[in-house]
Each structure stands twice: as C-alpha cells, then as structure tokens.
Amino acid sequence: MTTVRIIGAPTDYGANRRGVDMGPSAIRYGGLADQLGSAGVDVVDAGDLAVPRAEERDPDADAPSAGNAKFLRETADVCRRLADEVGGTLTDGAVPLGLGGDHSIAIGSLVGSARDADVGAVWFDAHADLNTPSTTPSGNVHGMPLAAALGLDEFAGSEWATAPGLSPENVALVGLRSVDEAEVEVIRDRGFAAYTMSDIDERGITDVTEEAMATAGAGVDGVHVSLDLDWLDPKEAPGVGTPVRGGVTYREAHRAMEIVDEADSLRSMELVEVNPTLDQHNETAELATELAASAFGKRVL
Ligand SMILES: NC(=[NH2+])NCCC[C@H](N)C(=O)O
Ligand SMILES: [Mn+2]
Ligand SMILES: [Mn+2]
C-alpha cells in the first residue's frame, strides 16, 4: 500500500499578498487526511516546518547579491529543510505531499525529489514560474521556482536551489495564461513542453495531460507534480494570491489529476498558493484536498 507523508511548509515569503502561510492549516482542516484515506492510501502527517514570520525578517537581507528577489535567504533556509524532508520520505519508501505556502517551496520539493534520482516535473499553473532575480517583474520568488530548480541565470550552480536530477526535457507546463515576456523566451529557447489554456480548449484536458505526463515521465525514475491552485479558474478557486481568469474547471482539474494517477509515475507532489484570507468558506483548500485524492487514485466506482 502507498504511504503518503504530508509535509507542511507554511511560508509566504515568496508572494506579494500575505496569508498563504495559513495554507497548510486550511488544507488539513479542509479534510486532507480523510480524502487521502478514501483514495486508499496510508497517511502520515509529519507536521509543519518551522517558518519564522515575515515581519521578523528583512526582505532585502541578501541584496544586492540576490538581485531583485525578496526574502531569498529565508526561502533558501526553508527549502533546504524541505528538501531533506522530501528526500528522507522517498528514502523511506513513502510519497511526499508538500503543503504550501507560496510556490517558492517547490524549489525544496524539486531538490529533494531529484537528489538521488532522475525526475520530471509537471507544473499545473496559470503561470510559468520561470523568472529569475534578473527578469522578475515583482521580486517575488514564487514566480521563480522552476527557473531555480533548473539552474537558470543567477541560480546556476546554486547548491540549495538547483535540482541535479531534473532535466529540462522532462518539464511540462499545463494551463498557462499569464506568462511574462522573459518567460516566453525561456520556454521557446529551452523547448519546454508548454500547454496554454488555448491548447486545452483545442485538444481537451485528457489529451494534454496525458502528453504532459508522458513527456515528464520519459526515461526518468518518477514525476514531481506541482499543483498551484491558481491553475483553476478563480470561480472554482478564489482563495489564491494571484488569480487569473480563464482557468480550468472543476471537472477538468479532476480529470487531469486522475490522469496523474493513471500515468503511474507520481513520485512527489505539492499543493501550493492556497490563501485562506482570500477564500470563501475554505472552498479552495477543500478543493485542493479533493484534487490530491484524485491524483492518489480516488474514484467514484
Ligand atoms: N506561483 C505564483 N503564483 N506565481 C505568480 C508569478 C507572477 C509573475 N509571473 C511574477 O513573476 O511575479
Ligand atoms: Mn500561479
Ligand atoms: Mn505558481
């Protein structure tokens, strides 16, 4: 039987708006353990990493060496510890499920997942998260995790940020609808498999997700699935910090997660960017738990 180990990373260093640090509590309160149980997996909750409050920290402590990247030192500290938790979970034969927190925690997830293995990544997100300290329009590290893990620009050779076993040919982005100019260039130059909402409109979520999982999983030991809740339409998932209209529906999201399960290559997963201060009756957190259950095999019949 699969054991899923929940690891909370209650950060909001990487986002503009406060509140995603409450994500792990909201997602647990939203019924995560029960949902995963109904998917037929064993669940272990490792609790939350200790994360100092942003108010007690200086966002520019690393400037100017960090370029325009706020709270980079704090992010590095959390990601190092998260990478150890994720790596240790895999060594124990369980599947790590990270709870954000903002999307910068994906750096730690990817480093931990790709420490002793070759991995692919599927990024379910409205955004590409491929900015670097020199290209970011915001200075927010949640717009950079994929670039960091791939070692782009300033992240090249960074021991805490780059994921050694993550290869660019095994990266797929799904659901794009808000991509910055510099990110468009990176996607074109590096040839990432990237599916916009138009691709989903045209080809359907099943076809697109199957192709994304196949690309990410080709020739590697497993796939990391990063689920940013702003991937969904804000009507379905209002509790996120950077909502973008025109996202996937409730049904499309479930179908995609069922395909994640069917691909049988899931190595590690995370649920990020749930912001309870912007949510309605915890519905975004509850949706996150349901989608995780689908990804771990929950079916009606
Ligand atoms: N994980 C996220 N919600 N990322 C949003 C990123 C938005 C924008 N591309 C930026 O770099 O600031
Ligand atoms: Mn996003
Ligand atoms: Mn994101």
Side-chain angles (χ1 to χ4, degrees), residues 103-104 123-129 142-143 145 226-230 242 272-273:
H103 215 160
S104 68
W123 212 259
F124 293 101
D125 200 328
H127 308 95
D129 295 346
H142 75 162
S226 198
L227 175 53
D228 182 330
L229 269 292
D230 70 33
T242 46
V272 300
E273 297 284 339

mmCIF file of all heavy atoms in Angstrom, residues 103-104 123-129 142-143 145 226-230 242 272-273, ligand 3:
data_model
loop_
_atom_site.group_PDB
_atom_site.id
_atom_site.type_symbol
_atom_site.label_atom_id
_atom_site.label_comp_id
_atom_site.label_asym_id
_atom_site.label_seq_id
_atom_site.Cartn_x
_atom_site.Cartn_y
_atom_site.Cartn_z
ATOM 1 N N HIS A 103 4.547 29.315 -3.768
ATOM 2 C CA HIS A 103 5.135 28.353 -4.704
ATOM 3 C C HIS A 103 6.663 28.270 -4.632
ATOM 4 O O HIS A 103 7.261 27.361 -5.217
ATOM 5 C CB HIS A 103 4.663 28.644 -6.138
ATOM 6 C CG HIS A 103 4.466 27.417 -6.968
ATOM 7 N ND1 HIS A 103 3.692 27.382 -8.107
ATOM 8 C CD2 HIS A 103 4.953 26.151 -6.822
ATOM 9 C CE1 HIS A 103 3.729 26.166 -8.629
ATOM 10 N NE2 HIS A 103 4.487 25.400 -7.870
ATOM 11 N N SER A 104 7.301 29.188 -3.916
ATOM 12 C CA SER A 104 8.771 29.099 -3.806
ATOM 13 C C SER A 104 9.192 27.802 -3.128
ATOM 14 O O SER A 104 10.310 27.318 -3.344
ATOM 15 C CB SER A 104 9.335 30.298 -3.031
ATOM 16 O OG SER A 104 8.936 30.254 -1.673
ATOM 17 N N TRP A 123 3.930 21.036 -14.149
ATOM 18 C CA TRP A 123 3.592 22.282 -13.478
ATOM 19 C C TRP A 123 2.178 22.680 -13.859
ATOM 20 O O TRP A 123 1.965 23.185 -14.959
ATOM 21 C CB TRP A 123 4.589 23.351 -13.954
ATOM 22 C CG TRP A 123 4.944 24.389 -12.975
ATOM 23 C CD1 TRP A 123 4.459 25.668 -12.913
ATOM 24 C CD2 TRP A 123 5.895 24.272 -11.910
ATOM 25 N NE1 TRP A 123 5.043 26.323 -11.865
ATOM 26 C CE2 TRP A 123 5.931 25.498 -11.231
ATOM 27 C CE3 TRP A 123 6.716 23.215 -11.451
ATOM 28 C CZ2 TRP A 123 6.742 25.719 -10.124
ATOM 29 C CZ3 TRP A 123 7.526 23.427 -10.370
ATOM 30 C CH2 TRP A 123 7.529 24.678 -9.714
ATOM 31 N N PHE A 124 1.216 22.412 -12.986
ATOM 32 C CA PHE A 124 -0.169 22.816 -13.236
ATOM 33 C C PHE A 124 -0.351 24.212 -12.651
ATOM 34 O O PHE A 124 -0.398 24.383 -11.422
ATOM 35 C CB PHE A 124 -1.147 21.830 -12.587
ATOM 36 C CG PHE A 124 -1.138 20.457 -13.195
ATOM 37 C CD1 PHE A 124 -0.457 19.406 -12.591
ATOM 38 C CD2 PHE A 124 -1.813 20.206 -14.389
ATOM 39 C CE1 PHE A 124 -0.451 18.126 -13.154
ATOM 40 C CE2 PHE A 124 -1.815 18.929 -14.956
ATOM 41 C CZ PHE A 124 -1.134 17.895 -14.335
ATOM 42 N N ASP A 125 -0.425 25.224 -13.496
ATOM 43 C CA ASP A 125 -0.301 26.601 -13.011
ATOM 44 C C ASP A 125 -0.766 27.564 -14.106
ATOM 45 O O ASP A 125 -0.564 27.300 -15.297
ATOM 46 C CB ASP A 125 1.188 26.850 -12.699
ATOM 47 C CG ASP A 125 1.442 28.018 -11.759
ATOM 48 O OD1 ASP A 125 0.672 28.986 -11.775
ATOM 49 O OD2 ASP A 125 2.453 27.966 -11.028
ATOM 50 N N ALA A 126 -1.358 28.693 -13.698
ATOM 51 C CA ALA A 126 -1.643 29.761 -14.661
ATOM 52 C C ALA A 126 -0.344 30.414 -15.129
ATOM 53 O O ALA A 126 -0.292 31.017 -16.200
ATOM 54 C CB ALA A 126 -2.522 30.823 -14.006
ATOM 55 N N HIS A 127 0.684 30.305 -14.290
ATOM 56 C CA HIS A 127 1.954 31.000 -14.511
ATOM 57 C C HIS A 127 3.066 30.001 -14.848
ATOM 58 O O HIS A 127 2.945 28.813 -14.542
ATOM 59 C CB HIS A 127 2.354 31.759 -13.239
ATOM 60 C CG HIS A 127 1.268 32.651 -12.700
ATOM 61 N ND1 HIS A 127 0.394 32.233 -11.717
ATOM 62 C CD2 HIS A 127 0.921 33.923 -13.017
ATOM 63 C CE1 HIS A 127 -0.456 33.227 -11.436
ATOM 64 N NE2 HIS A 127 -0.164 34.266 -12.223
ATOM 65 N N ALA A 128 4.154 30.509 -15.417
ATOM 66 C CA ALA A 128 5.263 29.630 -15.782
ATOM 67 C C ALA A 128 6.296 29.509 -14.659
ATOM 68 O O ALA A 128 7.071 28.552 -14.623
ATOM 69 C CB ALA A 128 5.942 30.146 -17.050
ATOM 70 N N ASP A 129 6.331 30.478 -13.754
ATOM 71 C CA ASP A 129 7.288 30.467 -12.627
ATOM 72 C C ASP A 129 8.711 30.236 -13.099
ATOM 73 O O ASP A 129 9.488 29.508 -12.481
ATOM 74 C CB ASP A 129 6.842 29.451 -11.564
ATOM 75 C CG ASP A 129 5.518 29.844 -10.916
ATOM 76 O OD1 ASP A 129 5.077 31.003 -11.088
ATOM 77 O OD2 ASP A 129 4.906 28.993 -10.241
ATOM 78 N N HIS A 142 8.020 33.319 -5.618
ATOM 79 C CA HIS A 142 7.061 32.309 -6.104
ATOM 80 C C HIS A 142 6.912 32.348 -7.622
ATOM 81 O O HIS A 142 6.350 31.422 -8.197
ATOM 82 C CB HIS A 142 5.699 32.417 -5.401
ATOM 83 C CG HIS A 142 4.829 33.559 -5.835
ATOM 84 N ND1 HIS A 142 3.475 33.593 -5.583
ATOM 85 C CD2 HIS A 142 5.109 34.718 -6.490
ATOM 86 C CE1 HIS A 142 2.959 34.715 -6.066
ATOM 87 N NE2 HIS A 142 3.919 35.410 -6.613
ATOM 88 N N GLY A 143 7.442 33.386 -8.254
ATOM 89 C CA GLY A 143 7.470 33.423 -9.719
ATOM 90 C C GLY A 143 8.762 32.846 -10.299
ATOM 91 O O GLY A 143 8.998 32.960 -11.502
ATOM 92 N N PRO A 145 10.410 29.460 -8.990
ATOM 93 C CA PRO A 145 10.905 28.153 -8.551
ATOM 94 C C PRO A 145 11.366 27.218 -9.668
ATOM 95 O O PRO A 145 12.357 26.497 -9.497
ATOM 96 C CB PRO A 145 9.719 27.544 -7.786
ATOM 97 C CG PRO A 145 8.527 28.323 -8.217
ATOM 98 C CD PRO A 145 9.036 29.698 -8.500
ATOM 99 N N SER A 226 3.481 19.542 -9.392
ATOM 100 C CA SER A 226 3.327 20.773 -8.633
ATOM 101 C C SER A 226 1.992 21.399 -9.000
ATOM 102 O O SER A 226 1.768 21.773 -10.154
ATOM 103 C CB SER A 226 4.487 21.725 -8.968
ATOM 104 O OG SER A 226 4.597 22.713 -7.980
ATOM 105 N N LEU A 227 1.096 21.465 -8.026
ATOM 106 C CA LEU A 227 -0.240 21.984 -8.291
ATOM 107 C C LEU A 227 -0.441 23.324 -7.587
ATOM 108 O O LEU A 227 -0.609 23.392 -6.372
ATOM 109 C CB LEU A 227 -1.292 20.959 -7.828
ATOM 110 C CG LEU A 227 -2.764 21.373 -7.909
ATOM 111 C CD1 LEU A 227 -3.139 21.879 -9.295
ATOM 112 C CD2 LEU A 227 -3.657 20.196 -7.546
ATOM 113 N N ASP A 228 -0.383 24.373 -8.400
ATOM 114 C CA ASP A 228 -0.653 25.735 -7.931
ATOM 115 C C ASP A 228 -2.160 25.927 -8.092
ATOM 116 O O ASP A 228 -2.682 25.782 -9.204
ATOM 117 C CB ASP A 228 0.151 26.702 -8.819
ATOM 118 C CG ASP A 228 -0.006 28.162 -8.412
ATOM 119 O OD1 ASP A 228 -1.075 28.540 -7.890
ATOM 120 O OD2 ASP A 228 0.942 28.936 -8.668
ATOM 121 N N LEU A 229 -2.860 26.252 -6.996
ATOM 122 C CA LEU A 229 -4.327 26.305 -7.078
ATOM 123 C C LEU A 229 -4.823 27.414 -8.003
ATOM 124 O O LEU A 229 -5.981 27.397 -8.413
ATOM 125 C CB LEU A 229 -4.938 26.404 -5.673
ATOM 126 C CG LEU A 229 -5.282 25.064 -4.993
ATOM 127 C CD1 LEU A 229 -6.443 24.366 -5.722
ATOM 128 C CD2 LEU A 229 -4.102 24.095 -4.943
ATOM 129 N N ASP A 230 -3.942 28.369 -8.370
ATOM 130 C CA ASP A 230 -4.383 29.380 -9.336
ATOM 131 C C ASP A 230 -4.448 28.824 -10.754
ATOM 132 O O ASP A 230 -4.821 29.530 -11.692
ATOM 133 C CB ASP A 230 -3.553 30.664 -9.242
ATOM 134 C CG ASP A 230 -2.125 30.552 -9.735
ATOM 135 O OD1 ASP A 230 -1.840 29.795 -10.675
ATOM 136 O OD2 ASP A 230 -1.265 31.270 -9.168
ATOM 137 N N THR A 242 -2.698 35.190 -6.595
ATOM 138 C CA THR A 242 -2.525 35.753 -7.939
ATOM 139 C C THR A 242 -3.508 35.094 -8.914
ATOM 140 O O THR A 242 -3.121 34.350 -9.810
ATOM 141 C CB THR A 242 -1.072 35.557 -8.455
ATOM 142 O OG1 THR A 242 -0.656 34.200 -8.188
ATOM 143 C CG2 THR A 242 -0.111 36.484 -7.782
ATOM 144 N N VAL A 272 0.027 24.168 -3.561
ATOM 145 C CA VAL A 272 0.554 25.466 -3.133
ATOM 146 C C VAL A 272 -0.375 26.626 -3.482
ATOM 147 O O VAL A 272 -1.284 26.494 -4.306
ATOM 148 C CB VAL A 272 1.951 25.742 -3.769
ATOM 149 C CG1 VAL A 272 2.956 24.674 -3.350
ATOM 150 C CG2 VAL A 272 1.861 25.824 -5.279
ATOM 151 N N GLU A 273 -0.098 27.750 -2.836
ATOM 152 C CA GLU A 273 -0.748 29.038 -3.123
ATOM 153 C C GLU A 273 -2.184 29.140 -2.624
ATOM 154 O O GLU A 273 -2.917 30.044 -3.047
ATOM 155 C CB GLU A 273 -0.653 29.398 -4.619
ATOM 156 C CG GLU A 273 0.785 29.599 -5.134
ATOM 157 C CD GLU A 273 1.418 30.943 -4.730
ATOM 158 O OE1 GLU A 273 0.664 31.886 -4.409
ATOM 159 O OE2 GLU A 273 2.660 31.028 -4.722
HETATM 160 MN MN MN B 3 2.988 29.020 -9.379
#
